[in-house]
Amino acid sequence: MKVGTVLSRGGASPAPLQYSNVINNWSSKLNLPGCPVFCFVRSCCRIEQMDNIELLCNTEISQIAGDDCLRSIEVSNHKTGERRSLDVNAVFTFIGAVLRTDWLPQAIETDDKGFIKTGLAVADSTEWSAGRQPFLLETSRPGIFAAGDVRLGSVKRVASAVGEGAMAVQFIHQYLAEI
């Protein structure tokens, strides 16, 4: 069972809702924490009609858990105080105009502004444990990849982010072939 979470950390972009329609095609269950201003009526109505998507308004991820891979997240509703655990195996983050990577574990290295270091920028990292050079989009944790605006040195354009996302998929296949 594939379970994903699309996390929006603010902003007025409809991107999380738009991408949730794409992600929903391969996910058996999709959680949408956040639901800030971007929750336009037309998009929300369409999403609310999908049985396998749950809108979690006023909610953000407060904890992630897993051993070698993501197993679950805890979400907190900042209006009601309710906390809930969700079994997931993927989190897709839309950061909007404000970089929000403070939730990442220290094993995923960032620069002083919070941009995720990848590729050669992590080759000499104490966190890098693979017996090879990191792939271009690979973080300081082997097998974890970053693409788009959140990555240090990215072009910060939608087309570039889409291309990097497609490249990350190829790198994931290469990584999985070696383990």
Side-chain angles (χ1 to χ4, degrees), residues 64-150:
I64 58 174
D67 36 50
D68 290 339
C69 62
L70 178 64
R71 300 281 183 212
S72 66
I73 59 172
E74 182 178 275
V75 294
S76 302
N77 184 307
H78 56 82
K79 285 203 174 182
T80 67
E82 177 191 9
R83 294 171 94 73
R84 195 169 151 196
S85 181
L86 302 171
D87 293 330
V88 300
N89 55 22
V91 173
F92 303 89
T93 305
F94 292 86
I95 61 169
V98 178
L99 186 62
R100 306 279 184 146
T101 55
D102 53 328
W103 59 274
L104 290 170
Q106 287 183 334
I108 307 292
E109 290 186 8
T110 61
D111 72 355
D112 58 339
K113 293 179 183 172
F115 288 98
I116 300 173
K117 295 179 180 180
T118 60
L120 293 178
V122 298
D124 296 325
S125 167
T126 58
E127 296 292 339
W128 183 253
S129 60
R132 60 167 173 76
Q133 289 292 308
F135 295 120
L136 176 67
L137 302 176
E138 199 164 18
T139 67
S140 50
R141 184 78 186 264
I144 306 292
F145 298 84
D149 293 1
V150 74

